[in-house]
Every structure is written in C-alpha cells, then in structure tokens.
C-alpha cells in the first residue's frame, strides 16, 4: 500500500501474527521482504504473496514483487523449503506446513467468521469442518476445499428460526419474531437473549444494536406500548 511515497506491507508468519514494514520503492525482492521482517539471510524461507484475488503465490528471494496498486496486499514469510498445494474456491493456494487451522484457511480465502469450510470429496458428500478443526493439506492428491456461508438455528419466542449470518441487528430479530410487526409512535420492542457465544452469553439487545449469535441461542422478543 502506498503512503507518502513509501510502500507499506503487512508481513505475516505461520501463526498469522504480522508486522508492518515499509519500502521506498514499490518493487522489492523476496529477500528484501524477508530481511525487513527480521529473517536472517541464507535461511530456507517460503515467501508467499497473498494476492488481491485471494490466491497465494510463491516468490523467490531474487524475484521482484510489485507493491503498487495492482500488486500485493500482504506477504507470508515462513521457514521452510517447499510447499503443499491446495485449492479453495478454485483459487490456487500453497503452504509450507502439513496442516492449517480452519480459521486460517478462511482468512486466506477472504471469508468471514460467518462462513464454514468444506472439503470436496470424490464419490462422497462434502466434509464440513468444525471451527476448531485442523485441515490437512499434505495428501497424495491436491486437496480441494470450498467455503459457504454458515447457517444458524436460533430460538425466537420458542420457535426455531434459520439465519445465514453470524451477527443480527435489533430490527432483524424483531422481524424474526414478528414478520409483519406493528408500527407507530407508541409501539416498542424489548429483546432479551440467552445461551449466546462467549462474547455475549446473555443480556439485552437494544434498539440500533447488534449481537453475535450461535446455534440454539434463545431470544425473547416482547412488544409493548410506550407509557
């Protein structure tokens, strides 16, 4: 990214921690990126450009990368000598370790927390990973994965409702409870919830607010008149 005639780049490690480095020119070599990230020379490193398309592409130490408008958003620099290749949503990926966390694969694919990861299997139903799973990418054949938006079943006024997003607004919860809610200056709604995720296990959702959800979360939506 260009800023005041310098080019900033986020350099990530295998644990998905990162540091920001700057360069005076938009074109830098893989070795320059590794050195700026604090890696010693003459060490086997895998340098991966995370392209704007979402794909990962190897960069040799002597090869130039363009950090300009048509270039790269961030780079991974990881000790290693080779990579395992795999596909996510048809995008070419590679990684120097045998496994990746599901959340990391989703991040690489630029999919949010409201998505889930599936492995495309031959002659079998797709395998759906749990968020806590490790994903093996070192099989004898190239692994193929895809993402899709997660669905959640929540309980609204004792009735199950299916939603395809991980965060709901106050108005969205009201419409789940009352598909055609009454309106008027004297009409108001109160929302209490329970059995939520660790970030918000229980409480009240206020008008204009949002709440993160999980499966089987319970909502109690009450219509009242302003006094």
């Amino acid at each position: 990214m260009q800023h005041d005639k310098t080019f900033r780049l986020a350099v990530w490690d295998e644990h998905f921690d990162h540091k920001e480095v700057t360069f005076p020119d938009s074109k830098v070599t893989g070795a320059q990126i590794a050195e700026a990230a604090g890696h010693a020379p003459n060490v086997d490193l895998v340098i991966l450009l995370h392209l704007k398309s979402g794909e990962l592409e190897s960069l040799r130490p002597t090869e130039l990368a363009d950090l300009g408008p048509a270039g790269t958003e961030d780079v991974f620099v990881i000790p290693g000598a080779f990579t395992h290749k795999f596909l996510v949503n048809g995008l070419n990926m590679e990684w120097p370790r045998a496994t990746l966390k599901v959340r990391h694969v989703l991040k690489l694919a630029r999919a949010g927390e409201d998505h889930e990861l599936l492995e495309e299997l031959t002659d079998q139903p797709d395998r759906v990973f749990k968020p806590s799973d490790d994903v093996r990418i070192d099989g004898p054949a190239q692994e193929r994965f895809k993402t899709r938006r997660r669905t959640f079943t929540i309980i609204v006024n004792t009735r199950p409702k299916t939603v395809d997003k991980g965060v709901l607004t106050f108005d969205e919860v009201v419409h789940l409870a009352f598909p055609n809610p009454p309106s008027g200056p004297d009409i108001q709604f109160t929302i209490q919830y329970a059995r939520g995720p660790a970030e918000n296990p229980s409480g009240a959702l206020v008008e204009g607010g949002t709440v993160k959800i999980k499966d089987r979360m319970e909502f109690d939506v009450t219509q009242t008149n302003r006094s």
Side-chain angles (χ1 to χ4, degrees), residues 85-206:
K85 297 183 184 296
F86 60 105
L87 294 172
V88 182
N89 295 336
L91 299 174
N92 292 306
M93 302 280 189
E94 50 186 306
W95 196 254
R97 299 289 181 266
T99 62
L100 271 165
K101 298 289 186 184
V102 167
R103 67 179 183 274
H104 292 159
V105 178
L106 292 175
K107 179 177 177 63
L108 292 173
R110 307 198 189 284
E113 292 184 358
D114 56 352
H115 283 68
E116 60 187 357
L117 184 70
L118 298 85
E119 182 178 8
E120 298 182 81
L121 301 173
T122 303
D123 300 326
Q124 298 181 54
D126 292 342
R127 176 190 174 187
V128 181
F129 290 96
K130 298 177 182 178
S132 59
D133 284 344
D134 289 330
V135 182
R136 296 204 67 90
I137 57 173
D138 63 342
Q142 188 178 46
E143 311 289 349
R144 305 174 68 93
F145 305 96
K146 63 183 179 182
T147 65
R148 70 181 180 192
R149 190 176 292 275
R150 292 181 62 191
T151 59
F152 301 85
T153 298
I154 60 175
I155 310 302
V156 182
N157 289 357
T158 74
R159 296 183 178 181
K161 302 286 184 177
T162 300
V163 295
D164 64 355
K165 55 195 305 186
V167 177
L168 294 177
T169 67
F170 179 93
D171 289 341
E172 287 171 334
V173 176
V174 168
H175 279 81
L176 287 170
F178 302 97
N180 297 296
S183 60
D186 296 328
I187 301 296
Q188 68 178 6
F189 296 93
T190 60
I191 300 176
Q192 298 288 330
Y193 61 84
R195 299 173 61 89
E199 298 90 332
N200 44 263
S202 63
L205 178 58
V206 299

Side-chain angles (χ1 to χ4, degrees), residues 20 25 44 57 91 106 124 180 182 204 214:
E20 190 175 85
D25 191 272
D44 283 337
E57 182 179 278
L91 299 174
L106 292 175
Q124 298 181 54
N180 297 296
K214 72 171 189 177

Side-chain angles (χ1 to χ4, degrees), residues 5-74:
K5 296 185 179 180
T6 63
F7 291 82
R8 294 185 178 183
L9 184 67
V11 181
W12 301 74
D13 63 19
E14 63 186 290
H15 306 295
F16 283 70
D17 296 321
H18 76 281
K19 64 186 298 184
E20 190 175 85
V21 300
T22 60
F23 300 97
D25 191 272
S26 66
K27 294 183 179 180
V28 294
T29 66
Q32 288 175 308
I33 293 172
E35 181 181 5
H39 291 276
N42 303 320
V43 175
D44 283 337
L45 294 172
V46 171
I47 304 168
L48 298 170
L49 306 179
H50 196 194
L51 306 180
K52 292 182 179 179
S53 66
E55 292 185 294
L56 287 170
E57 182 179 278
S58 290
L59 179 71
R60 297 187 301 274
T62 57
E63 189 176 0
L64 281 174
D66 184 3
L67 309 182
T72 302
E73 290 192 340
D74 43 32

